[in-house]
Amino acid sequence: MVQTGNARSDRVVGQSPRSYPGRYGPRNEEAFPLLRVMTAFTVLLLLFLIRPVHAADYYLTATGDDRDTGLSSDHAWRTLDRVNQLELLAGDRILLEAGTTFLGPLLLDGADRGTESAPITVTTFGNGPAVIEAGEGMGIFVRSTAGVILSNLHVSGNHHPHNNSDGIAIHNDLDGALLLTGITIDHVEVSGFGKNGISIGGWNGDSGFRNVRVTHTRIHDNGLNGLVTYAQHPRANKDVYIAYVEAYRNTGLPGVVPHSGSGIILGNVENGVIEWSKAYENGRLGNAGVGIWTYDSTKVVIQHNESFANRTSGEADGGGFDLDGGVTDSVMQHNFSHDNDGAGYGLYEYAEAPPWYGNTVRHNLSVNDGRKNGAAGIQIWNGGTSLLADATIHDNIVMMGPSEDVTPSAIAFKSPSQGFSIYQNAFIASGEAILVFKPAEQVHLHMSDNRCWSMTTRSLWDESLEREVCAIYFRFPG
């Protein structure tokens, strides 16, 4: 497509020089009223000529014809190929007939120039969603442009291994640390893609996106992951909001490293929120996936979500929630994690990640997480070279029952950390589960006013450790 401006207009390329009667000849007083009228008329004409033309609506229907104008439902187009030939401008809308299937992909690029205040909108008319059927390819690809709204769509692929693409891919590879502003995905369903259901990010230094919203969206039965944001550098994306999203049965792919099989991932974000969302039954074929997590990010809030029955086929993760490598000044609060293979709430650092510090885990509930690999309700692990530092864990409830294959714990320090404060939590262990695991090299750990219940027939892992951790300790032998 050829790059165009933000509005349709006729440009005024010149203007007559102003004349001053009387300077080079006799003054003509009678000319002034006529001059004033002509000037006023000229101004009005110029205002008319330079006004933006109204944004256009383009219609697609099951009985449309690409040779028609596309400007009404009675003169609609039939295919997305016809839309891909357009150079869309600010405020333009693509209206797909509800209940109709259109073959993908839909392509938007730098020649399609929406703005945050006057976005390009792809949605439906009529009742219900329209379907974009991608087959073995990508459903929607937005490259190096923004000011885009996608709504009321079902984007579908042929499943892995027949499909090896993302469902909706929004990508910025422009030079100059450029943040493109305004991406909204609302009331969209994405399923059946071999890679990610939805991916949003940049891969050129600090380039990425600002003001991203994904709401009321279902992402399921994809191969690699559900929803991901990413960038080449940490914290490149700004102001990302995820709410009322369901990510489920995104299986992961065997042999993919470093991870696959996650529900929702916020990668490389500054100022992000994930709330009122669910992630479940992800990761069955993958390794090291997590239901909802963030990495290389700062000032992220994960709250009011539920993550459950997430799996791993390997020896890592499969957990509920996670503040992972390079995360700083972020919060997990008011979440419910249960019945996951991995930890309910992970605090992790991976190799070569930026420093991890200043994070908070509070007012969360974990029930019977850690079903595999000896994981815990709350787990701290470090695969990097610098210590996880300065975290606060308080007012959480962890209920840990036995697992058939492993011995889980309510809270576990699998690696040393520094400056952790853990207080006013309730830790409950039953059967073969234990309350606390902590390595001898753990330093600068402050625990106070935690309540602990042990309902077990076996000895506790470390009696002195339990007394250190628990201000009030109850033991009820089975």
Side-chain angles (χ1 to χ4, degrees):
M1 297 183 182
V2 178
Q3 193 166 0
T4 62
N6 287 337
R8 300 176 176 90
S9 66
D10 296 327
R11 294 182 58 86
V12 178
V13 298
Q15 183 176 356
S16 299
R18 185 175 179 182
S19 61
Y20 295 89
R23 183 172 183 180
Y24 299 107
R27 297 172 62 90
N28 185 353
E29 298 294 340
E30 296 180 355
F32 280 97
L34 179 59
L35 179 62
R36 286 194 292 268
V37 171
M38 293 177 63
T39 300
F41 176 78
T42 302
V43 170
L44 291 174
L45 179 62
L46 291 175
L47 289 174
F48 174 81
L49 290 175
I50 66 174
R51 74 169 190 226
V53 174
H54 291 297
D57 289 344
Y58 299 98
Y59 291 80
L60 280 74
T61 67
T63 58
D65 186 337
D66 287 353
R67 295 169 296 181
D68 216 324
T69 64
L71 295 177
S72 72
S73 58
D74 292 332
H75 297 277
W77 292 331
R78 179 63 186 95
T79 71
L80 293 174
D81 285 340
R82 182 66 183 87
V83 176
N84 293 339
Q85 298 171 27
L86 293 176
E87 297 174 0
L88 296 168
L89 300 181
D92 284 352
R93 297 193 303 169
I94 306 301
L95 303 176
L96 309 181
E97 183 179 42
T100 299
T101 297
F102 301 91
L103 298 181
L106 172 65
L107 306 175
L108 302 176
D109 63 19
D112 302 304
R113 304 301 295 273
T115 67
E116 189 172 22
S117 60
I120 294 167
T121 300
V122 182
T123 187
T124 62
F125 70 97
N127 295 321
V131 178
I132 295 179
E133 177 57 60
E136 298 182 1
M138 192 176 298
I140 300 175
F141 186 26
V142 179
R143 180 177 181 182
S144 298
T145 191
V148 173
I149 295 176
L150 306 175
S151 70
N152 210 23
L153 304 171
H154 181 189
V155 186
S156 177
N158 277 356
H159 297 271
H160 185 269
H162 305 291
N163 185 291
N164 195 33
S165 299
D166 290 349
I168 299 175
I170 301 175
H171 182 73
N172 177 8
D173 56 8
L174 297 175
D175 293 328
L178 185 61
L179 290 180
L180 299 175
T181 301
I183 296 290
T184 296
I185 300 174
D186 181 61
H187 285 93
V188 170
E189 181 176 358
V190 185
S191 63
F193 290 89
K195 290 188 178 178
N196 302 296
I198 300 174
S199 65
I200 305 170
W203 204 257
N204 192 341
D206 288 326
S207 290
F209 290 91
R210 182 191 299 276
N211 292 350
V212 174
R213 294 177 61 90
V214 182
T215 54
H216 302 283
T217 291
R218 297 168 59 202
I219 310 160
H220 61 93
D221 296 289
N222 300 291
L224 194 60
N225 299 291
L227 165 64
V228 302
T229 70
Y230 64 93
Q232 190 171 19
H233 291 170
R235 308 166 188 173
N237 301 300
K238 315 292 185 186
D239 305 322
V240 179
Y241 181 72
I242 311 295
Y244 303 100
V245 168
E246 287 193 48
Y248 56 96
R249 293 199 306 265
N250 300 291
T251 61
L253 299 177
V256 171
V257 294
H259 60 83
S260 73
S262 292
I264 301 172
I265 309 172
L266 278 196
N268 311 92
V269 169
E270 179 178 342
N271 295 322
V273 174
I274 306 173
E275 64 181 5
W276 306 113
S277 296
K278 292 183 179 181
Y280 54 94
E281 298 176 3
N282 300 291
R284 178 176 58 87
L285 301 178
N287 183 47
V290 174
I292 298 174
W293 61 292
T294 183
Y295 71 94
D296 281 359
S297 297
T298 189
K299 300 177 182 176
V300 171
V301 177
I302 300 175
Q303 63 183 5
H304 304 296
N305 305 290
E306 183 180 7
S307 186
F308 60 96
N310 295 293
R311 305 296 177 221
T312 178
S313 67
E315 298 180 355
D317 296 329
F321 300 89
D322 171 17
L323 301 180
D324 214 290
V327 170
T328 64
D329 300 319
S330 296
V331 179
M332 293 190 291
Q333 62 185 9
H334 306 292
N335 300 293
F336 180 25
S337 177
H338 60 97
D339 302 293
N340 294 290
D341 278 358
Y345 303 90
L347 292 79
Y348 301 146
E349 179 81 324
Y350 61 86
E352 300 181 359
W356 187 107
Y357 60 86
N359 299 305
T360 300
V361 181
R362 63 190 178 200
H363 303 291
N364 300 289
L365 174 62
S366 168
V367 178
N368 288 337
D369 290 309
R371 302 296 86 193
K372 189 174 180 179
N373 298 328
I378 300 174
Q379 181 164 296
I380 295 88
W381 174 84
N382 188 357
T385 56
S386 61
L387 292 177
L388 286 81
D390 304 326
T392 302
I393 302 172
H394 69 90
D395 293 286
N396 303 284
I397 299 174
V398 179
M399 304 175 66
M400 183 59 68
S403 172
E404 294 182 359
D405 302 321
V406 295
T407 303
S409 51
I411 182 169
F413 287 80
K414 295 298 182 76
S415 304
S417 63
Q418 180 173 336
F420 272 52
S421 181
I422 303 172
Y423 60 91
Q424 294 180 355
N425 300 283
F427 300 128
I428 304 165
S430 64
E432 294 296 306
I434 61 176
L435 287 171
V436 181
F437 173 79
K438 180 171 75 77
E441 60 269 29
Q442 174 65 51
V443 296
H444 303 297
L445 180 62
H446 175 67
M447 290 189 171
S448 66
D449 202 25
N450 297 294
R451 272 62 174 168
C452 301
W453 289 262
S454 178
M455 295 173 282
T456 177
T457 57
R458 67 187 294 278
S459 298
L460 294 173
W461 190 270
D462 185 332
E463 294 282 1
S464 63
L465 179 58
E466 309 302 341
R467 290 192 293 271
E468 173 190 344
V469 170
C470 306
I472 299 177
Y473 169 59
F474 304 93
R475 183 174 182 180
F476 301 102

